[in-house]
């Protein structure tokens, strides 16, 4: 059983053998080897101690016991490291949650109860590794943000949008003079001057957001509720057919 990797079954055979013959050295050595393979290092030491009482100079058991002692220490170090990392992560999560509460940002709770980072987990694939976080130097909240263009069913994903930055700052980068036009807007209809921006509130009403609004101020819009930690801004060309149809659907 041991040689085909069936260590549990082999260990059971060893336990049976030493119950019948307590000094069965072959079974004791094999039992220690099985425990080593199963990563039961404490148990391996116990098997080794049993055999070393019979033969204190047994080379294989001495070697196995020493190896397991080192592995047990390594496991303890790894456990302490994981605990410290978990503690640090929880502390960091607490700081983010406190920052959001202090800024009065309304967050949709996935499971009700207290706000947690699970409520801020992004659903957009590109944002999975860049969720809401605090800038370590400035202490600003940084969000992944989506700009949605319903007219063309297109999106722009902004990986890091700081709470103090305005919509205009990013719109200028995407649609300002001299910028490379997206394939869906070769006519250059989308410009900082022609664009209007909206947020949808929790009751599906529209709130128009001026471009000089900071992200934080936008997220504090009355009635707005942030879902999956990723603000979605709806972008239209003012007075376009798509804009008019959109407003009509929302009874504006």
């Amino acid at each position: 059983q041991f040689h085909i990797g069936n260590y549990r079954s082999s260990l059971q055979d060893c336990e049976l053998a030493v119950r019948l013959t307590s000094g069965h050295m072959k079974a004791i050595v094999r039992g220690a080897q099985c425990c080593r393979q199963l990563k039961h290092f404490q148990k391996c030491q116990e098997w080794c101690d049993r055999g070393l009482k019979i033969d204190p100079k047994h080379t294989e058991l001495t070697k196995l016991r020493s190896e397991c002692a080192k592995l047990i220490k390594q496991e303890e170090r790894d456990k302490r490291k994981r605990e410290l990392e978990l503690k640090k992560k929880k502390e960091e999560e607490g700081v983010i949650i406190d920052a959001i509460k202090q800024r009065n940002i309304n967050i949709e709770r996935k499971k009700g109860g207290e706000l947690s980072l699970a409520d801020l987990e992004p659903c957009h694939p590109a944002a999975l590794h860049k969720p809401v976080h605090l800038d370590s130097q400035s202490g600003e909240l940084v969000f992944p943000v989506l700009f949605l263009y319903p007219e063309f069913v297109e999106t722009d994903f902004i990986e890091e949008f700081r709470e103090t930055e305005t919509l205009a700052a990013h719109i200028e980068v995407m649609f300002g003079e001299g910028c490379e036009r997206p394939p869906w807007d070769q006519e250059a209809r989308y410009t900082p001057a022609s664009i209007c921006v909206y947020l949808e509130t929790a009751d599906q009403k529209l709130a128009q957001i001026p471009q000089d609004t900071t992200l934080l101020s936008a997220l504090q819009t009355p009635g707005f509720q942030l879902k999956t930690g990723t603000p979605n801004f709806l972008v239209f060309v003012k007075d376009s057919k798509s804009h008019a149809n959109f407003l009509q659907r929302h009874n504006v």
Side-chain angles (χ1 to χ4, degrees), residues 109-120:
R109 309 291 205 275
K110 291 181 180 179
K111 297 181 180 179
E114 281 295 310
L115 178 65
S116 73
L117 282 193
D119 299 316
L120 296 164

Side-chain angles (χ1 to χ4, degrees), residues 172-185:
E172 184 65 33
V173 170
M174 294 185 291
F175 299 110
E177 188 176 349
C179 292
E180 182 180 352
R181 306 306 305 179
W184 47 268
D185 185 35

Side-chain angles (χ1 to χ4, degrees), residues 57-68:
K57 295 183 179 181
H58 194 287
T59 304
E60 177 68 13
L61 293 179
T62 301
K63 180 182 175 182
L64 268 175
R65 197 186 193 293
S66 176
E67 183 182 343
C68 284

Side-chain angles (χ1 to χ4, degrees), residues 12-99:
Q12 289 172 355
D13 292 342
C14 295
E15 289 170 343
L16 178 60
V18 295
R19 276 203 297 270
L20 297 173
T21 308
S22 61
H24 195 315
M25 280 299 289
K26 185 176 180 181
I28 290 171
V29 173
R30 182 66 79 215
Q33 291 171 335
C34 288
C35 288
R36 168 64 184 87
Q37 293 298 325
L38 291 167
K39 298 184 178 181
H40 297 167
F41 304 129
Q42 194 70 49
K43 192 86 172 176
C44 179
Q45 283 190 320
E46 292 172 7
W47 279 91
C48 291
D49 289 342
R50 180 185 294 185
L52 289 170
K53 284 181 181 179
I54 300 168
D55 181 1
K57 295 183 179 181
H58 194 287
T59 304
E60 177 68 13
L61 293 179
T62 301
K63 180 182 175 182
L64 268 175
R65 197 186 193 293
S66 176
E67 183 182 343
C68 284
K70 292 177 182 177
L71 290 168
I72 288 170
K73 286 183 179 179
Q74 183 62 53
E75 279 191 332
E76 290 171 349
R77 284 194 295 269
D78 292 344
K79 182 182 178 182
R80 287 195 297 271
K81 184 179 178 181
R82 287 194 299 271
E83 288 173 348
L84 285 171
E85 289 174 348
L86 182 60
K87 182 181 178 182
K88 182 181 178 183
K89 184 179 179 182
K90 285 185 176 180
E91 288 174 350
E92 290 173 348
E93 289 178 355
V95 171
I96 294 171
I97 295 300
D98 287 344

